[in-house]
Each structure stands twice: as C-alpha cells, then as structure tokens.
Amino acid sequence: MKKTLFIMLCIVYTTIQAQITVTTITPEFNGSGGLSLDSEGNLFIADFGDFLGMADTDGIPNNVLKLDPDLNLTVFASDFTGASGNDFDSEGVLYQSDIRDSAIYKIVDGARVFVTSTGIVAPVGIVFDDQDNFYVCNCGNNTIRKVTPDGTSTQFASGEIFSCPNGITVDENNNLYVSNFSNTNIVKITPDGTTSIIGNTVAGNGHLDYDPNTGNLYIASYSGHQIFSLKLETLMMDDIVGTGVRGNDDGDGETATFSTPNGIAVSDNGEVLFVNCAVLLDGAIINPQIIRKIQLPSLSVEDASLIHNIKTYPNPVENTFTIEANLPVHISNIDIKIVDILGSIIKEIKDIPIQNTQLNHPIDISGMSAGNYIYIISQNSEQLYSGQLIKK
C-alpha cells in the first residue's frame, strides 16, 4: 500500500514539476551568501566570499547587494568579511550576520553598524520573530542564539540535532525551522526551545524560507543541487525542482539543474522563489554567482488570490476531521473529494457554502477503511488545494 501511495504521489508531483519554470535573471556577480526580500520586492543578496572553507585572499571587503524588481543590481552595503544570513526587523532594517567576524551588524544608510558578538560563533542564518527578537544560527558551535531588542544575547537551543546550523526561518506562531549544512536535518524549534527533527533532505543544506500561503518550507539543498519543499501540515518532503546533477540549466521543474544553491527567498504571494547558484561547476570556488527565479504553479483562481492558513485536524483521524481555511472573497462554495491510493473517489461533498471567506467544515469518514488518502478542494472542477489524509 505504501508503495502504491508513493507512486500516486510521484505522478501528482511530476505534473506539478512540469508547471514549474526556472529562469536565470542576472549576469554573473559576487553574491554567495543569504537572500532576503523586502516588502517592495527588492532582493538583498549577501556575499559570503569566493571560497567555502577559507577567507578571501584578495583583501577586498564583501558586499550586500540589492536587486530591484526591474533587475537593477547595486551595492547596498560593504565592508563585510563574510556576509552570510540576513533578515529584516519590524522597521524594515536589514540585519546581516558576518561569519568571519563572528558578529551581527545592521545596515543603516548604507553602512554596517555593529549590533552584537556576544555568544556569536561563525553565524550564518538570522531571523526575527514577531516581538523583534532575532535568532542566529551559530555554525561554529552548533547552537541557536536569541538576541532581544535590548541586546541581551542568550543561548536558545543546542544539541547533537544541529550540525553547522545554516538556514533559519519562522512561522506565524513563532516556531523556528533550521536547516543544517553538515547533515540533512530540518529541525523545528518551538517557542519554548524544544527541538525535533521534522524532515531530511538528501544532502547538506543552504538556507530555507517559510511561505505562510501554503504552510510550506522551501529548502535549498546546497550539496544535493536541488530545491525541496516540506509541507508542515503533513511533514511530506518533496524535491520540487532540480535533477540532483550539478548545473545551471534553465527550464521546467523536471529538467532544470542547480549548482550549490545556497540562499533562498519566497515572494509574498508564495508563487516565486529566488535562489543563488555558483557559476563554476567544480572545485571550492563559489563566486561568481547568478540568481535563478523559480516560478511555482499558482494556487489561485480568477483574481490570483490564494487559499490561506489551511489546517486539517485531527490527522491521523479515526472518525471525523475538520478542514479550516481562508479563501478568496469571490468563492461562495467549494467541493471536497477524498480519493484513495488508486485515485478512486471514496467520498465527495459538493457545494459546501463559504461564509465570510472562512471554510470550517467537519467531514465524517468513520465508514472508510484505514489507510492513506488525498483530499482535494475544488471549485467548478478547478483544483485549489490537495493534502494527505491518514485514516486510523
């Protein structure tokens, strides 16, 4: 049964991959670190340096660059020795970690301003929660550091679960998610500091980003030369794009290739990913880089509004489960189908009314056999969303 479900999901995902397009959108430049998008769609690109395992030998400071929506590339700030991860605080100020300085800086009027080095050891990823605390991946000692707005720096998480923690992102509930560079672990950290492994890629990872539209993590597998998604609702991991062969071939999701993808950022609407890739395909030199744009399949209907905040609980389910979601304002009713591992429709509920954009619908499946299923939300025969369901 598990093998049949795997084949079915592979067929579904092959169809999705065919709808993905990958395009190179910049010329070659030096920008091997992390990526962040601001609210206006500007992409900020840190330059880690020319080499992975050693400092640059040219003596020239590294930059943080800005790529605007018109694809103009300019220097945003300079004087870094190893600019790695970055993120914005609630005021729109970009904070930048510097792995070779073991310090965190913020960028004010184009200049770097020192923030803290307390407890910071070879930092990479950085992210802010909704209280303007920021969290730092200490690759140098396998810990996660928390820094409050007043500058207090404390250890937040540690342990063998981390192996050069590299990327870090946060969801709307202030859960943190970390990708390791030196192994395949994807780690969840709850607001009280509890850690757990929630997924694994195929090789060491660069950065990751969270999309609240879909509840997905998107992960750049640096050593695996692929981009993965991890659906937090079901903890299903998928290699959405990249063959695993190192390269920089544009194309659809089935044929495009990536070369040590490191930084990754998802657009506000969840439909575009930006990734930086090394141009050279062998050796330890990681500059120059190019930015690749990954256009994902739209989850939209009519005016491109998305389904938001979808929840399915309990899952696994014994008798009745509930689907909750926020839907676009123009949707007044939907259909829900449950299909088995062979694609046969087991249960279908039609014309479910939507009030004030809110879906909150319990579904009784007590008469169904135990096993794995897929539920599909649609409107007028157009699929809007699908998820995995486990019947106990």
Side-chain angles (χ1 to χ4, degrees):
M1 179 177 288
K2 289 182 178 179
K3 182 177 180 181
T4 307
L5 177 63
F6 174 77
I7 293 171
M8 178 181 174
L9 292 175
C10 283
I11 292 171
V12 170
Y13 230 83
T14 297
T15 302
I16 293 173
Q17 282 185 318
Q19 301 174 51
I20 294 173
T21 56
V22 180
T23 308
T24 299
I25 60 172
T26 66
E28 299 176 9
F29 70 102
N30 288 353
S32 53
L35 307 180
S36 287
L37 279 165
D38 70 9
S39 59
E40 298 179 351
N42 299 298
L43 183 68
F44 293 81
I45 309 155
D47 185 17
F48 179 91
D50 298 338
F51 304 95
L52 180 61
M54 57 181 284
D56 291 346
T57 57
D58 56 17
I60 301 173
N62 297 322
N63 299 323
V64 175
L65 299 109
K66 175 183 175 181
L67 182 70
D68 69 23
D70 294 324
L71 303 184
N72 299 304
L73 188 64
T74 55
V75 173
F76 183 67
S78 191
D79 294 329
F80 294 92
T81 59
S84 42
N86 43 46
D87 193 28
F88 292 93
D89 69 7
S90 63
E91 301 297 321
V93 176
L94 186 68
Y95 281 61
Q96 178 68 58
S97 64
D98 194 313
I99 192 170
R100 297 189 179 94
D101 281 2
S102 282
I104 307 299
Y105 299 89
K106 61 182 177 180
I107 300 175
V108 180
D109 296 328
R112 71 172 196 169
V113 177
F114 176 78
V115 176
T116 187
S117 60
T118 303
I120 307 298
V121 185
V124 188
I126 180 173
V127 73
F128 280 87
D129 67 13
D130 62 10
Q131 300 298 310
D132 259 358
N133 304 299
F134 67 84
Y135 301 82
V136 182
C137 288
N138 276 335
C139 175
N141 65 1
N142 296 326
T143 64
I144 306 300
R145 202 78 181 174
K146 177 181 179 180
V147 182
T148 60
D150 66 4
T152 302
S153 175
T154 56
Q155 184 168 292
F156 186 68
S158 63
E160 294 182 358
I161 201 169
F162 298 112
S163 184
C164 183
N166 196 49
I168 188 167
T169 189
V170 65
D171 69 16
E172 57 275 348
N173 297 312
N174 289 325
N175 296 298
L176 301 174
Y177 302 92
V178 174
S179 52
N180 283 340
F181 183 80
S182 297
N183 67 22
T184 64
N185 289 352
I186 306 301
V187 179
K188 178 180 179 179
I189 312 173
T190 61
D192 66 1
T194 302
T195 60
S196 59
I197 297 173
I198 60 170
N200 292 91
T201 58
V202 297
N205 302 304
H207 293 261
L208 76 171
D209 203 5
Y210 171 70
D211 175 28
N213 300 290
T214 59
N216 288 347
L217 296 178
Y218 292 105
I219 306 149
S221 178
Y222 183 93
S223 301
H225 313 299
Q226 292 174 289
I227 308 301
F228 286 82
S229 73
L230 176 61
K231 184 175 287 295
L232 294 179
E233 181 188 13
T234 61
L235 298 185
M236 291 178 61
M237 180 79 77
D238 290 290
D239 52 332
I240 59 168
V241 61
T243 64
V245 176
R246 187 173 182 179
N248 284 312
D249 298 316
D250 291 341
D252 64 26
E254 296 176 319
T255 60
T257 58
F258 293 83
S259 171
T260 58
N262 184 33
I264 188 166
V266 59
S267 63
D268 284 347
N269 64 6
E271 295 184 5
V272 177
L273 303 176
F274 297 95
V275 179
N276 52 348
C277 292
V279 171
L280 302 178
L281 302 184
D282 54 34
I285 302 175
I286 54 177
N287 271 327
Q289 296 264 319
I290 49 177
I291 298 295
R292 319 285 299 285
K293 176 183 176 181
I294 304 170
Q295 184 72 50
L296 300 174
S298 173
L299 297 177
S300 60
V301 292
E302 295 184 9
D303 66 355
S305 298
L306 296 171
I307 295 179
H308 295 275
N309 302 324
I310 189 159
K311 298 178 183 178
T312 307
Y313 60 89
N315 192 10
V317 55
E318 186 170 358
N319 294 311
T320 300
F321 74 99
T322 297
I323 300 176
E324 288 185 0
N326 299 101
L327 293 109
V329 293
H330 61 269
I331 294 182
S332 58
N333 58 75
I334 60 165
D335 302 329
I336 296 176
K337 291 189 292 188
I338 300 175
V339 301
D340 65 12
I341 59 175
L342 300 177
S344 300
I345 298 174
I346 303 302
K347 191 177 185 72
E348 184 170 16
I349 308 100
K350 299 184 73 66
D351 295 325
I352 299 170
I354 304 299
Q355 296 182 348
N356 299 321
T357 76
Q358 301 294 309
L359 170 64
N360 188 320
H361 193 78
I363 299 175
D364 183 1
I365 59 170
S366 57
M368 289 170 44
S369 301
N372 293 280
Y373 299 87
I374 293 175
Y375 68 89
I376 300 169
I377 301 174
S378 60
Q379 182 198 38
N380 298 328
S381 300
E382 182 174 2
Q383 182 173 320
L384 305 178
Y385 185 87
S386 64
Q388 186 183 22
L389 183 68
I390 303 173
K391 172 69 166 65
K392 294 193 292 186

PDB file of all heavy atoms in Angstrom, residues 4 54-55 68 87 90 99 125 135 154 177 190 200 208 219 241 288 298 314 360-361 365:
ATOM      1  N   THR A   4       2.252   1.890  -3.429  1.00  0.00           N
ATOM      2  CA  THR A   4       1.256   2.417  -4.356  1.00  0.00           C
ATOM      3  C   THR A   4       1.006   3.890  -4.095  1.00  0.00           C
ATOM      4  O   THR A   4       0.889   4.694  -5.017  1.00  0.00           O
ATOM      5  CB  THR A   4      -0.064   1.633  -4.225  1.00  0.00           C
ATOM      6  OG1 THR A   4       0.198   0.248  -4.360  1.00  0.00           O
ATOM      7  CG2 THR A   4      -1.067   2.085  -5.271  1.00  0.00           C
ATOM      8  N   MET A  54      37.533  28.975   3.381  1.00  0.00           N
ATOM      9  CA  MET A  54      38.625  29.868   3.758  1.00  0.00           C
ATOM     10  C   MET A  54      38.253  31.300   3.404  1.00  0.00           C
ATOM     11  O   MET A  54      37.340  31.549   2.621  1.00  0.00           O
ATOM     12  CB  MET A  54      39.911  29.483   3.026  1.00  0.00           C
ATOM     13  CG  MET A  54      39.776  29.477   1.510  1.00  0.00           C
ATOM     14  SD  MET A  54      41.268  28.994   0.643  1.00  0.00           S
ATOM     15  CE  MET A  54      42.231  30.498   0.801  1.00  0.00           C
ATOM     16  N   ALA A  55      38.953  32.242   4.034  1.00  0.00           N
ATOM     17  CA  ALA A  55      38.707  33.648   3.751  1.00  0.00           C
ATOM     18  C   ALA A  55      39.204  34.002   2.355  1.00  0.00           C
ATOM     19  O   ALA A  55      40.065  33.327   1.787  1.00  0.00           O
ATOM     20  CB  ALA A  55      39.406  34.510   4.799  1.00  0.00           C
ATOM     21  N   ASP A  68      16.626  45.104  -7.625  1.00  0.00           N
ATOM     22  CA  ASP A  68      15.265  45.636  -7.583  1.00  0.00           C
ATOM     23  C   ASP A  68      14.366  44.875  -8.551  1.00  0.00           C
ATOM     24  O   ASP A  68      14.836  44.051  -9.342  1.00  0.00           O
ATOM     25  CB  ASP A  68      15.261  47.145  -7.836  1.00  0.00           C
ATOM     26  CG  ASP A  68      15.628  47.539  -9.262  1.00  0.00           C
ATOM     27  OD1 ASP A  68      15.478  46.712 -10.188  1.00  0.00           O
ATOM     28  OD2 ASP A  68      16.053  48.688  -9.462  1.00  0.00           O
ATOM     29  N   ASP A  87      18.090  39.231   7.563  1.00  0.00           N
ATOM     30  CA  ASP A  87      16.638  39.348   7.709  1.00  0.00           C
ATOM     31  C   ASP A  87      16.302  40.770   8.131  1.00  0.00           C
ATOM     32  O   ASP A  87      17.172  41.507   8.629  1.00  0.00           O
ATOM     33  CB  ASP A  87      16.105  38.353   8.747  1.00  0.00           C
ATOM     34  CG  ASP A  87      14.584  38.214   8.700  1.00  0.00           C
ATOM     35  OD1 ASP A  87      13.998  38.424   7.616  1.00  0.00           O
ATOM     36  OD2 ASP A  87      13.973  37.902   9.745  1.00  0.00           O
ATOM     37  N   SER A  90      11.100  44.666  12.300  1.00  0.00           N
ATOM     38  CA  SER A  90       9.756  45.192  12.037  1.00  0.00           C
ATOM     39  C   SER A  90       9.786  46.598  11.452  1.00  0.00           C
ATOM     40  O   SER A  90       8.780  47.054  10.880  1.00  0.00           O
ATOM     41  CB  SER A  90       8.941  45.193  13.333  1.00  0.00           C
ATOM     42  OG  SER A  90       9.539  46.056  14.291  1.00  0.00           O
ATOM     43  N   ILE A  99      30.044  35.789   9.074  1.00  0.00           N
ATOM     44  CA  ILE A  99      30.582  34.545   9.617  1.00  0.00           C
ATOM     45  C   ILE A  99      32.039  34.684  10.032  1.00  0.00           C
ATOM     46  O   ILE A  99      32.477  34.077  11.018  1.00  0.00           O
ATOM     47  CB  ILE A  99      30.392  33.392   8.607  1.00  0.00           C
ATOM     48  CG1 ILE A  99      30.677  32.033   9.267  1.00  0.00           C
ATOM     49  CG2 ILE A  99      31.239  33.614   7.359  1.00  0.00           C
ATOM     50  CD1 ILE A  99      30.270  30.848   8.414  1.00  0.00           C
ATOM     51  N   GLY A 125      22.586  31.851   9.304  1.00  0.00           N
ATOM     52  CA  GLY A 125      21.216  32.332   9.198  1.00  0.00           C
ATOM     53  C   GLY A 125      20.792  33.198  10.363  1.00  0.00           C
ATOM     54  O   GLY A 125      21.263  33.046  11.501  1.00  0.00           O
ATOM     55  N   TYR A 135      17.122  35.532  16.029  1.00  0.00           N
ATOM     56  CA  TYR A 135      17.742  34.244  16.321  1.00  0.00           C
ATOM     57  C   TYR A 135      18.835  33.995  15.289  1.00  0.00           C
ATOM     58  O   TYR A 135      18.655  34.258  14.105  1.00  0.00           O
ATOM     59  CB  TYR A 135      16.695  33.129  16.286  1.00  0.00           C
ATOM     60  CG  TYR A 135      15.564  33.345  17.267  1.00  0.00           C
ATOM     61  CD1 TYR A 135      14.502  34.191  16.947  1.00  0.00           C
ATOM     62  CD2 TYR A 135      15.562  32.722  18.509  1.00  0.00           C
ATOM     63  CE1 TYR A 135      13.473  34.410  17.845  1.00  0.00           C
ATOM     64  CE2 TYR A 135      14.529  32.937  19.412  1.00  0.00           C
ATOM     65  CZ  TYR A 135      13.487  33.789  19.070  1.00  0.00           C
ATOM     66  OH  TYR A 135      12.460  34.008  19.976  1.00  0.00           O
ATOM     67  N   THR A 154      21.310  35.312  24.571  1.00  0.00           N
ATOM     68  CA  THR A 154      21.302  34.082  25.346  1.00  0.00           C
ATOM     69  C   THR A 154      21.233  32.882  24.412  1.00  0.00           C
ATOM     70  O   THR A 154      20.752  32.985  23.281  1.00  0.00           O
ATOM     71  CB  THR A 154      20.088  34.023  26.304  1.00  0.00           C
ATOM     72  OG1 THR A 154      18.883  34.181  25.546  1.00  0.00           O
ATOM     73  CG2 THR A 154      20.185  35.102  27.361  1.00  0.00           C
ATOM     74  N   TYR A 177      12.500  27.153  12.247  1.00  0.00           N
ATOM     75  CA  TYR A 177      12.882  25.998  11.444  1.00  0.00           C
ATOM     76  C   TYR A 177      14.314  26.224  10.965  1.00  0.00           C
ATOM     77  O   TYR A 177      14.648  27.299  10.461  1.00  0.00           O
ATOM     78  CB  TYR A 177      11.934  25.816  10.264  1.00  0.00           C
ATOM     79  CG  TYR A 177      10.497  25.654  10.716  1.00  0.00           C
ATOM     80  CD1 TYR A 177       9.659  26.760  10.829  1.00  0.00           C
ATOM     81  CD2 TYR A 177       9.987  24.409  11.076  1.00  0.00           C
ATOM     82  CE1 TYR A 177       8.362  26.629  11.275  1.00  0.00           C
ATOM     83  CE2 TYR A 177       8.686  24.267  11.522  1.00  0.00           C
ATOM     84  CZ  TYR A 177       7.877  25.382  11.626  1.00  0.00           C
ATOM     85  OH  TYR A 177       6.585  25.245  12.082  1.00  0.00           O
ATOM     86  N   THR A 190      10.318  24.964  18.922  1.00  0.00           N
ATOM     87  CA  THR A 190       9.110  25.627  19.408  1.00  0.00           C
ATOM     88  C   THR A 190       9.496  26.862  20.223  1.00  0.00           C
ATOM     89  O   THR A 190      10.660  27.037  20.603  1.00  0.00           O
ATOM     90  CB  THR A 190       8.277  24.670  20.271  1.00  0.00           C
ATOM     91  OG1 THR A 190       9.064  24.266  21.407  1.00  0.00           O
ATOM     92  CG2 THR A 190       7.872  23.434  19.477  1.00  0.00           C
ATOM     93  N   ASN A 200      14.170  15.413   6.417  1.00  0.00           N
ATOM     94  CA  ASN A 200      15.538  15.290   5.933  1.00  0.00           C
ATOM     95  C   ASN A 200      15.559  15.453   4.425  1.00  0.00           C
ATOM     96  O   ASN A 200      14.687  14.924   3.723  1.00  0.00           O
ATOM     97  CB  ASN A 200      16.153  13.939   6.301  1.00  0.00           C
ATOM     98  CG  ASN A 200      16.380  13.781   7.789  1.00  0.00           C
ATOM     99  OD1 ASN A 200      15.504  13.282   8.500  1.00  0.00           O
ATOM    100  ND2 ASN A 200      17.522  14.203   8.264  1.00  0.00           N
ATOM    101  N   LEU A 208      16.780  28.261   4.073  1.00  0.00           N
ATOM    102  CA  LEU A 208      15.391  27.858   3.872  1.00  0.00           C
ATOM    103  C   LEU A 208      14.487  29.050   4.156  1.00  0.00           C
ATOM    104  O   LEU A 208      14.902  30.005   4.812  1.00  0.00           O
ATOM    105  CB  LEU A 208      15.009  26.648   4.717  1.00  0.00           C
ATOM    106  CG  LEU A 208      14.738  26.823   6.219  1.00  0.00           C
ATOM    107  CD1 LEU A 208      14.170  25.539   6.814  1.00  0.00           C
ATOM    108  CD2 LEU A 208      15.957  27.254   7.003  1.00  0.00           C
ATOM    109  N   ILE A 219      13.545  24.712   0.828  1.00  0.00           N
ATOM    110  CA  ILE A 219      14.906  24.437   1.302  1.00  0.00           C
ATOM    111  C   ILE A 219      15.844  24.325   0.118  1.00  0.00           C
ATOM    112  O   ILE A 219      15.573  23.577  -0.832  1.00  0.00           O
ATOM    113  CB  ILE A 219      14.940  23.123   2.113  1.00  0.00           C
ATOM    114  CG1 ILE A 219      13.908  23.153   3.236  1.00  0.00           C
ATOM    115  CG2 ILE A 219      16.347  22.856   2.653  1.00  0.00           C
ATOM    116  CD1 ILE A 219      13.334  21.798   3.573  1.00  0.00           C
ATOM    117  N   VAL A 241      12.225  20.768  -7.541  1.00  0.00           N
ATOM    118  CA  VAL A 241      12.921  21.175  -8.755  1.00  0.00           C
ATOM    119  C   VAL A 241      14.408  20.886  -8.607  1.00  0.00           C
ATOM    120  O   VAL A 241      14.972  20.987  -7.521  1.00  0.00           O
ATOM    121  CB  VAL A 241      12.658  22.669  -9.064  1.00  0.00           C
ATOM    122  CG1 VAL A 241      13.169  23.561  -7.947  1.00  0.00           C
ATOM    123  CG2 VAL A 241      13.263  23.084 -10.386  1.00  0.00           C
ATOM    124  N   PRO A 288      31.932  33.423  -9.263  1.00  0.00           N
ATOM    125  CA  PRO A 288      30.724  34.251  -9.281  1.00  0.00           C
ATOM    126  C   PRO A 288      29.450  33.431  -9.124  1.00  0.00           C
ATOM    127  O   PRO A 288      29.473  32.206  -9.214  1.00  0.00           O
ATOM    128  CB  PRO A 288      30.788  34.923 -10.644  1.00  0.00           C
ATOM    129  CG  PRO A 288      31.516  33.935 -11.504  1.00  0.00           C
ATOM    130  CD  PRO A 288      32.535  33.310 -10.608  1.00  0.00           C
ATOM    131  N   SER A 298       0.603  28.278  -9.728  1.00  0.00           N
ATOM    132  CA  SER A 298      -0.279  29.138  -8.950  1.00  0.00           C
ATOM    133  C   SER A 298      -1.337  28.304  -8.255  1.00  0.00           C
ATOM    134  O   SER A 298      -1.895  27.370  -8.824  1.00  0.00           O
ATOM    135  CB  SER A 298      -0.946  30.168  -9.863  1.00  0.00           C
ATOM    136  OG  SER A 298      -1.906  30.900  -9.145  1.00  0.00           O
ATOM    137  N   PRO A 314      -8.292  16.278  13.389  1.00  0.00           N
ATOM    138  CA  PRO A 314      -7.001  15.627  13.638  1.00  0.00           C
ATOM    139  C   PRO A 314      -6.529  14.896  12.388  1.00  0.00           C
ATOM    140  O   PRO A 314      -7.335  14.538  11.530  1.00  0.00           O
ATOM    141  CB  PRO A 314      -7.320  14.650  14.762  1.00  0.00           C
ATOM    142  CG  PRO A 314      -8.769  14.315  14.559  1.00  0.00           C
ATOM    143  CD  PRO A 314      -9.409  15.573  14.041  1.00  0.00           C
ATOM    144  N   ASN A 360     -14.816  26.092   7.345  1.00  0.00           N
ATOM    145  CA  ASN A 360     -14.689  25.324   8.586  1.00  0.00           C
ATOM    146  C   ASN A 360     -15.695  24.191   8.482  1.00  0.00           C
ATOM    147  O   ASN A 360     -16.866  24.341   8.845  1.00  0.00           O
ATOM    148  CB  ASN A 360     -14.963  26.199   9.804  1.00  0.00           C
ATOM    149  CG  ASN A 360     -14.658  25.468  11.108  1.00  0.00           C
ATOM    150  OD1 ASN A 360     -14.954  24.281  11.263  1.00  0.00           O
ATOM    151  ND2 ASN A 360     -14.062  26.171  12.052  1.00  0.00           N
ATOM    152  N   HIS A 361     -15.230  23.054   7.958  1.00  0.00           N
ATOM    153  CA  HIS A 361     -16.175  22.006   7.600  1.00  0.00           C
ATOM    154  C   HIS A 361     -15.722  20.649   8.150  1.00  0.00           C
ATOM    155  O   HIS A 361     -14.669  20.134   7.770  1.00  0.00           O
ATOM    156  CB  HIS A 361     -16.313  21.912   6.085  1.00  0.00           C
ATOM    157  CG  HIS A 361     -17.477  21.078   5.646  1.00  0.00           C
ATOM    158  ND1 HIS A 361     -18.771  21.543   5.664  1.00  0.00           N
ATOM    159  CD2 HIS A 361     -17.529  19.799   5.190  1.00  0.00           C
ATOM    160  CE1 HIS A 361     -19.575  20.587   5.234  1.00  0.00           C
ATOM    161  NE2 HIS A 361     -18.851  19.521   4.941  1.00  0.00           N
ATOM    162  N   ILE A 365     -15.627  10.356   8.226  1.00  0.00           N
ATOM    163  CA  ILE A 365     -15.094   9.264   7.404  1.00  0.00           C
ATOM    164  C   ILE A 365     -15.030   7.965   8.207  1.00  0.00           C
ATOM    165  O   ILE A 365     -14.207   7.088   7.929  1.00  0.00           O
ATOM    166  CB  ILE A 365     -13.698   9.618   6.841  1.00  0.00           C
ATOM    167  CG1 ILE A 365     -12.704   9.901   7.966  1.00  0.00           C
ATOM    168  CG2 ILE A 365     -13.790  10.812   5.903  1.00  0.00           C
ATOM    169  CD1 ILE A 365     -11.268  10.009   7.472  1.00  0.00           C
TER     170      ILE A 365
END
